Amino acid sequence: MTDSTNDEASKPALGMARIATATVTVIAIIGVAWLFLELTRFLMLVFAALVLAVVFDAMARGVSKATRMPRGPALALSIVALLALFIGAFALFGAQMAREFDTIVESIPPALAQVDALLQSVGVGQSARELFNQGSSDVSKLMSQAGGYVLAASSGVADFVLVLVGAIFIASDPGAYRRGLIHLMPKRAEETADKSLEDMGRGLQGWMVGQAASSALVAILTWAGLALLGVPAAGGLGLIAGLLDVIPMIGPIIAAVPAVLLAFTVSPAVALWTVGLFLLIQQLQGNFLQPMIQKQAVDVPPAVLLFAVVAAGTIFGFLGVLLAAPLTVVVYVLVQRVYVRTLLGKDVEVAGKG
């Protein structure tokens, strides 16, 4: 009788304990999800530093192999060379823009007048003028918010410095960070974690090779096309287009703006042909060249890379668009290594595996 009474008394207590455990679990899951959302920008900056560290590490290995230079000086030389490439390209472009600025200012009004006359001749002048006036109003609003954009640009510079310094620290001794991360894993997961890190590093290096090939092709095509059209600073503009090719979809648009402005110094017709050139190169690069090159380098299906840009931009914003390709490579490799090979036990070839 006493045992039965004790069992009946313990049932409510056991039920309350389960409810409390479930409640704490739900709160913990919500807390982790909230923390992840709050730290999204920080996590993307860390990932950007890791990607840049992989680039530095691969360049340092190449320099060391070619010159038999110790890793430290080879890494320093790689970093200086990469920064010099970026700075040199934009300095070349900036000098040309400065020389052509007055010509640009003088060329744009008559060019716009010619465009307006052309639109009038085909009967859409009034609609185009109303659209232009609306656009001018929007530009005025944007200019009134210039202070906010300056602050955003300052924040972007600070983020770039943070990513650059973090990448240098990681690339200087990647083994230490790798061992530290593996030590945080449960004993039974250490082997999988180690192989996953190796696969991710190899996949990112493959992406880097593919991206370098894509950027080189874009730079050559842009330089050749602009040179044939007679646009000033074709070489510098081609180099900038190649560098900005790292940014999917948005990069070609940013690269096209100065090219079109300089094309106006030649004639409005050349500016129109320049727009067509960039549209052609963007379609060729975005829908054919880059997906196929990356598939050969990393073996990720082209459609996955293509749609990943939209998904990453929706979730993570501009940083997501910028890092869409390497992020896709990492996620794809992790799914293959951790889920398909380890959990499901299926023998599949991991992307980027040599």
Side-chain angles (χ1 to χ4, degrees):
M1 183 71 176
T2 303
D3 293 340
S4 176
T5 303
N6 291 337
D7 290 341
E8 292 177 0
S10 65
K11 287 181 180 179
L14 184 60
M16 291 298 295
R18 290 177 176 174
I19 293 174
T21 301
T23 302
V24 171
T25 302
V26 171
I27 293 174
I29 293 173
I30 294 175
V32 170
W34 173 83
L35 185 63
F36 177 79
L37 291 175
E38 288 294 317
L39 294 177
T40 295
R41 182 176 179 80
F42 168 76
L43 294 175
M44 292 302 291
L45 290 176
V46 172
F47 181 73
L50 290 172
V51 172
L52 190 57
V54 170
V55 174
F56 287 158
D57 180 65
M59 292 179 66
R61 289 173 184 269
V63 172
S64 295
K65 184 177 181 180
T67 63
R68 301 192 180 279
M69 188 182 295
R71 179 176 174 81
L75 178 61
L77 181 61
S78 301
I79 294 170
V80 171
L82 191 61
L83 292 178
L85 178 64
F86 277 90
I87 295 173
F90 285 95
L92 177 64
F93 155 72
Q96 183 68 40
M97 282 292 289
R99 287 194 297 268
E100 301 286 350
F101 184 76
D102 292 337
T103 308
I104 292 172
V105 173
E106 294 173 0
S107 301
I108 288 179
L112 291 177
Q114 293 182 32
V115 172
D116 183 64
L118 177 62
L119 294 175
Q120 288 285 3
S121 66
V122 296
V124 295
Q126 184 62 33
S127 300
R129 193 175 291 108
E130 292 176 357
L131 184 61
F132 176 77
N133 291 334
Q134 179 63 41
S136 300
S137 174
D138 294 338
V139 170
S140 299
K141 292 178 182 178
L142 290 175
M143 292 301 293
S144 67
Q145 301 172 356
Y149 296 125
V150 171
L151 291 176
S154 301
S155 175
V157 171
D159 289 343
F160 172 76
V161 173
L162 176 64
V163 169
L164 178 62
V165 174
I168 292 173
F169 284 146
I170 295 171
S172 63
D173 190 8
Y177 297 94
R178 178 173 177 169
R179 289 191 299 271
L181 183 60
I182 292 176
H183 287 329
L184 296 176
M185 300 294 171
K187 191 69 177 177
R188 63 178 181 275
E190 284 186 358
E191 183 180 357
T192 300
D194 185 56
K195 290 181 179 179
S196 297
L197 291 174
E198 184 178 348
D199 293 335
M200 285 188 290
R202 192 161 38 232
L204 286 176
Q205 288 185 15
W207 163 79
M208 182 187 68
V209 172
Q211 182 60 60
S214 176
S215 295
L217 284 172
V218 168
I220 292 171
L221 290 174
T222 303
W223 167 73
L226 294 177
L228 289 173
L229 293 174
V231 177
L237 291 169
L239 187 55
I240 289 173
L243 294 175
L244 291 176
D245 179 61
V246 177
I247 308 176
M249 295 193 300
I250 297 177
I253 297 174
I254 300 174
V257 172
V260 173
L261 288 176
L262 286 174
F264 264 117
T265 65
V266 181
S267 72
V270 172
L272 187 61
W273 279 108
T274 301
V275 173
L277 172 68
F278 272 87
L279 288 175
L280 177 62
I281 293 175
Q282 182 183 13
Q283 292 301 314
L284 181 65
Q285 182 269 351
N287 296 315
F288 179 73
L289 287 178
Q290 190 176 50
M292 295 309 297
I293 289 173
Q294 291 292 357
K295 185 179 186 302
Q296 295 300 318
V298 194
D299 198 28
V300 176
V304 174
L305 283 170
L306 206 58
F307 289 112
V309 176
V310 179
T314 303
I315 298 172
F316 302 113
F318 176 74
L319 273 176
V321 173
L322 180 62
L323 299 171
L327 188 62
T328 303
V329 171
V330 168
V331 172
Y332 194 77
V333 165
L334 282 177
V335 169
Q336 287 186 316
R337 170 63 66 182
V338 177
Y339 180 71
V340 179
R341 285 182 69 98
T342 303
L343 296 180
L344 298 183
K346 296 181 179 180
D347 187 17
V348 297
E349 190 73 13
V350 179
K353 188 175 177 61

